[in-house]
Amino acid sequence: LGVKGAKATEVFVLDQQDNFDDLGEIYGLVFLFKMIGDVSGDVKGLHRDAKYEPIDELPKNVYFANQVVENACATLAVLNIVLNCPQLEIDQELKEFKEFTRELPPAANAWFCNHKSPKFPSNSQFDVQAKALVVEEAVTTKKGRGKKIIEVVGEAYHYIAYVPVDGEAWQLDGLYPHPVSLGKYSNEKKWYEAARGEINARINGFFVEQIEYVLLAITKDELGVHQDRIKDCMYIKSLAENRLDKLSNSWREVDSKDIDLFFTNEDEIRVINRGNYVADFENLTSYHDNIENIKELRTRMVNTIQSLLEEIEIEKKRKEVEKERRTFDYCPFFREFISILQERGDLERLLDAAEDMDERDEYI
């Protein structure tokens, strides 16, 4: 989607004692479940028994897109979170898309998502040819060995987004006509407290009816965490340098090790708001007029920044490989591989061996 510094992390429960501090900042939650019924909105676990109050006017501060085609709810759920989080870094194309669709109704937003932007992936792109697979299974009958044709049909899943906007938690369900307010919150980092009741009600209902579900948290990825730490170090480095400039006119001649990165006023505000710099700041304060200690702290910040930049480059390469593996279509390879096994006469032997193994496992 053109978003940098974010990832999806699975969380298993949303009990009262869980505060998810170890996840860091949570941009939004995605509730994914296996649908029982058709994708019409009138299915188990979706809007049955829903008592949401209709609204006369859509909230101006909440971006929301309906689902107008199948195989789009995953993309829409993430998009509905991303475009409601100004602190996330998005590329120019997504910025222009948000600006262009800001005043459009939810259904039009979804239409543009699915038809106008080639960068928006649908669920089917990550479930390559799942609905088109046909399997020939070798079976043994009284008349000998034959073949049975099995068509593998993709299962239907639905994704619902939960996101904080201006002190209020919202449920953004592409199959519902409008955003649903779940209540206000006072703690920005624990906004999900306002959504606990709704999410837990779904979980409890799914547990009773044995419906499969997953709860995902959209959080900062390793790149985002590293980049935040770099900004923290840049802030402490600048404070240390300002202090050294007042204490000595020649310290730069002796300590020339430096790193050239942009650090803006906006960066400084974000660092202060996050508050992760406090420990280093307390160390700097405790050094008073000790030039050597302040220089040592500054050097430590420079070394940390350089190390993090190297880790970021490694992580970027790893993510590119991961993306290629996740989106690559391996089906032609497997078809060709199985065809070769069949031509060599090895496939039937392997199937028999697998059946024997299954029988032994069942017996055990």
Side-chain angles (χ1 to χ4, degrees):
L1 291 177
V3 181
K4 297 180 181 179
K7 67 175 180 178
T9 302
E10 184 173 352
V11 293
F12 295 97
V13 291
L14 201 65
D15 296 332
Q16 294 295 336
Q17 64 268 25
D18 293 320
N19 56 24
F20 302 114
D21 284 344
D22 57 332
L23 294 180
E25 183 177 6
I26 297 178
Y27 302 123
L29 295 168
V30 179
F31 200 97
L32 155 66
F33 58 91
K34 184 177 178 180
M35 300 182 73
I36 308 298
D38 58 20
V39 188
S40 65
D42 184 21
V43 293
K44 287 185 178 180
L46 194 52
H47 301 307
R48 188 190 60 181
D49 301 329
K51 297 181 175 60
Y52 305 133
E53 293 294 329
I55 58 178
D56 298 326
E57 185 178 0
L58 292 172
K60 298 290 186 182
N61 60 334
V62 179
Y63 187 94
F64 177 58
N66 283 132
Q67 181 178 346
V68 295
V69 298
E70 294 184 14
N71 286 330
C73 52
T75 299
L76 289 177
V78 176
L79 195 68
N80 279 331
I81 291 174
V82 167
L83 296 186
N84 281 297
C85 292
Q87 63 271 45
L88 274 176
E89 183 181 353
I90 60 178
D91 66 9
Q92 187 60 33
E93 183 176 1
L94 198 52
K95 289 178 182 177
E96 293 174 358
F97 172 83
K98 180 180 180 180
E99 190 63 29
F100 178 75
T101 59
R102 184 186 297 276
E103 302 299 327
L104 297 178
N109 290 346
W111 188 87
F112 276 98
C113 289
N114 288 287
H115 298 283
K116 294 299 183 183
S117 179
K119 290 191 68 175
F120 294 161
S122 67
N123 299 2
S124 57
Q125 285 180 260
F126 298 97
D127 185 21
V128 182
Q129 299 182 5
K131 295 184 178 180
L133 289 179
V134 175
V135 179
E136 289 189 2
E137 180 179 325
V139 295
T140 302
T141 66
K142 291 182 179 180
K143 296 182 180 180
R145 196 166 183 88
K147 291 182 179 179
K148 176 172 64 174
I149 305 299
I150 301 175
E151 184 176 356
V152 180
V153 180
E155 297 174 322
Y157 292 85
H158 187 54
Y159 301 71
I160 299 175
Y162 298 87
V163 64
V165 181
D166 296 336
E168 199 166 1
W170 293 87
Q171 176 178 283
L172 305 180
D173 184 343
L175 295 184
Y176 203 68
H178 60 75
V180 176
S181 173
L182 301 178
K184 296 186 178 296
Y185 57 85
S186 56
N187 188 332
E188 189 76 27
K189 290 186 177 180
K190 297 186 179 181
W191 64 267
Y192 48 80
E193 298 282 358
R196 280 190 193 273
E198 174 67 23
I199 294 176
N200 283 336
R202 286 186 182 276
I203 289 176
N204 292 335
F206 289 170
F207 180 77
V208 171
E209 299 191 42
Q210 296 183 326
I211 297 176
E212 299 174 11
Y213 68 88
V214 174
L215 182 62
L216 303 171
I218 306 300
T219 65
K220 286 183 180 176
D221 66 0
E222 287 75 10
L223 291 178
V225 173
H226 290 344
Q227 287 163 351
D228 281 351
R229 179 55 183 159
I230 286 175
K231 297 298 183 183
D232 293 341
C233 292
M234 289 294 294
Y235 178 58
I236 297 298
K237 173 178 171 291
S238 65
L239 293 179
E241 289 174 348
N242 291 337
R243 184 62 181 158
L244 287 170
D245 286 338
K246 294 178 181 179
L247 297 174
S248 171
N249 294 325
S250 59
W251 72 269
R252 292 181 185 273
E253 299 174 4
V254 179
D255 189 358
S256 59
K257 187 173 186 179
D258 203 354
I259 193 161
D260 186 20
L261 290 176
F262 286 111
F263 187 73
T264 64
N265 292 334
E266 289 76 13
D267 290 330
E268 181 175 334
I269 292 172
R270 294 191 188 100
V271 168
I272 294 173
N273 289 338
R274 283 196 303 268
N276 296 331
Y277 69 97
V278 173
D280 293 320
F281 180 76
E282 289 177 349
N283 287 335
L284 177 61
T285 304
S286 67
Y287 295 153
H288 301 293
D289 296 338
N290 190 318
I291 294 178
E292 292 304 317
N293 284 348
I294 298 174
K295 286 171 59 178
E296 183 181 345
L297 175 63
R298 178 191 172 279
T299 300
R300 192 158 67 245
M301 294 298 103
V302 171
N303 291 338
T304 300
I305 291 169
Q306 289 178 331
S307 176
L308 289 171
L309 289 174
E310 292 172 3
E311 291 184 25
I312 285 175
E313 287 304 311
I314 294 173
E315 182 66 15
K316 283 182 178 179
K317 292 178 181 178
R318 187 193 66 79
K319 288 173 76 71
E320 285 299 318
V321 173
E322 179 183 302
K323 179 181 179 181
E324 180 68 21
R325 289 174 175 170
R326 187 173 62 248
T327 58
F328 186 78
D329 183 4
Y330 289 95
C331 291
F333 163 75
F334 286 118
R335 289 196 184 97
E336 183 67 19
F337 182 69
I338 292 173
S339 297
I340 293 172
L341 289 176
Q342 175 67 20
E343 292 172 2
R344 291 172 50 179
D346 293 332
L347 184 59
E348 188 170 343
R349 175 179 57 79
L350 292 171
L351 289 172
D352 290 338
E355 289 176 2
D356 291 342
M357 187 177 297
D358 288 341
E359 291 175 0
R360 287 198 301 272
D361 291 342
E362 187 176 346
Y363 175 78
I364 293 173

